[in-house]
Amino acid sequence: MELTQLGTSDLKVSRIALGTDQFGTRVDRAAAKKIIFSALDAGINFIDTAHIYGDGRSEELIGDAIASVRDKVILATKGGHPHTGGPSPKNLRLELETSLQRLKTDHIDLYQVHFIIGQYTPLEDILEVLRDMQTSGKVCCFGASNFYTWQLYRANDLCARSGQAGLVSIQSHYSLLERDIEAELIPYCEHTGVGLLPFYPLAGGLLANRYRRGIEPGSDTRAGQLDWADRFFRYYATERNFDLIDLLSAFAQKRGRSLAELSLAWLLTRPAVCSVIVGASKPEHVLVDSRACDWNMSNEELAEIGSILGDKNRYLRYPRRLWWEVR
Ligand SMILES: NC(=O)c1ccc[n+]([C@@H]2O[C@H](COP(=O)([O-])OP(=O)(O)OC[C@H]3O[C@@H](n4cnc5c(N)ncnc54)[C@H](OP(=O)(O)O)[C@@H]3O)[C@@H](O)[C@H]2O)c1
């Protein structure tokens, strides 16, 4: 699998990253190990987790599984989720130490601030903690997650002014069914080189044909098993989205591809996207999803997908789209 530079860092990451937020809940120890090794076999070298995932079990299972291959993995984790106290300096310091222990490693390649929305720690204080983490050698580089564009801009501006290394990447919700970040975040990332790492790329399975219109989620799906995933499913399972899913599935099928492959391959063509974080609950998922990388979409294919999505009038927002351009 092709490797690419992770935003403004020197790290080289695979274009598909393994997401592990179901490890330790739906995915047990044995399955987690199989999924991780299927991913490595498929050429994926980038694993994303978080202090909060599975109440710490995700990091523990990853730490156990990769102990013998740690040097082959670019390991990303996050701290400072609002449900564990947010990114206060004290909390970030504590969570980093716990993550290192669980992951059985002496350093994190990419440490991401999970959220800074809805909390009141000054950005300057957060950046000071990150600087200490890097100086101690426990973290190679930093990323943002779920930031507003202005917060990312401000963070990197403060870093540049003080000579501190900035945030090299940002994780954001982005898929064929959720494109809000195209208005501001993506142009910012394109302009500065900050790498975009989309999460929920398959809309939790909707874009992998795991759910059917008018049929309740199956008991083997995550919406059938987890409350929050069920709420996510009901939010995105609209008539309009199922219409899009039908058209996009037919488009993929005509080319001998799956909807999941199409969804990931499309994201890989979007500006600023360096690696797409996909969740898997079975090793087979990783194998299918990694095939997306060898679909280099042509301009004609992208135009056809754009017309299915209704791009012309829908997604460009002011000030990139001006009133006299609307037809
Ligand atoms: N920074 C943040 O705040 C944040 C938030 C959310 C997620 N993330 C990261 O992003 C990762 C990805 O998100 P996600 O797992 O929630 O959503 P996702 O990648 O959109 O959906 C994953 C689900 O899609 C289904 N799937 C995947 N590949 C498939 C295939 N080839 N065929 C059929 N079904 C397939 C599986 O559903 P079933 O299990 O039901 O079969 C799988 O659990 C997370 O693991 C996490 O690392 C970050």
Side-chain angles (χ1 to χ4, degrees), residues 246-316:
D246 289 346
L247 293 167
L248 293 166
S249 301
F251 176 93
Q253 210 176 5
K254 248 201 271 172
R255 288 158 180 82
R257 298 283 193 162
S258 67
L259 177 60
E261 283 171 84
L262 180 150
S263 306
L264 301 173
W266 177 83
L267 278 173
L268 289 171
T269 69
R270 307 304 288 171
V273 169
C274 48
S275 182
V276 177
I277 311 171
V278 196
S281 58
K282 298 186 184 74
E284 308 84 87
H285 290 162
V286 185
L287 298 177
V288 173
D289 298 344
S290 61
R291 278 187 225 138
C293 289
D294 44 67
W295 186 353
N296 291 316
M297 288 185 169
S298 65
N299 288 340
E300 291 72 28
E301 286 176 325
L302 287 170
E304 201 175 325
I305 293 171
S307 76
I308 291 172
L309 297 170
D311 269 5
K312 196 161 167 228
N313 289 319
R314 202 174 291 272
Y315 288 107
L316 275 189

Side-chain angles (χ1 to χ4, degrees), residues 18-22 26 48-49 53 78 81 114-115 145-146 171-172 198-206 208-211 220-223 228 232 258 260 277-282 284-286 288-289:
L18 176 65
T20 61
D21 69 348
Q22 303 180 72
R26 291 180 70 219
D48 178 65
T49 182
Y53 291 168
K78 316 176 197 78
H81 193 284
H114 210 148
F115 274 91
S145 162
N146 301 299
Q171 283 198 19
S172 284
F199 66 76
Y200 293 150
L202 299 177
L206 272 163
N209 294 124
R210 290 290 281 134
Y211 304 95
D220 61 336
T221 62
R222 65 187 219 170
W228 71 264
F232 178 98
S258 67
I277 311 171
V278 196
S281 58
K282 298 186 184 74
E284 308 84 87
H285 290 162
V286 185
V288 173
D289 298 344

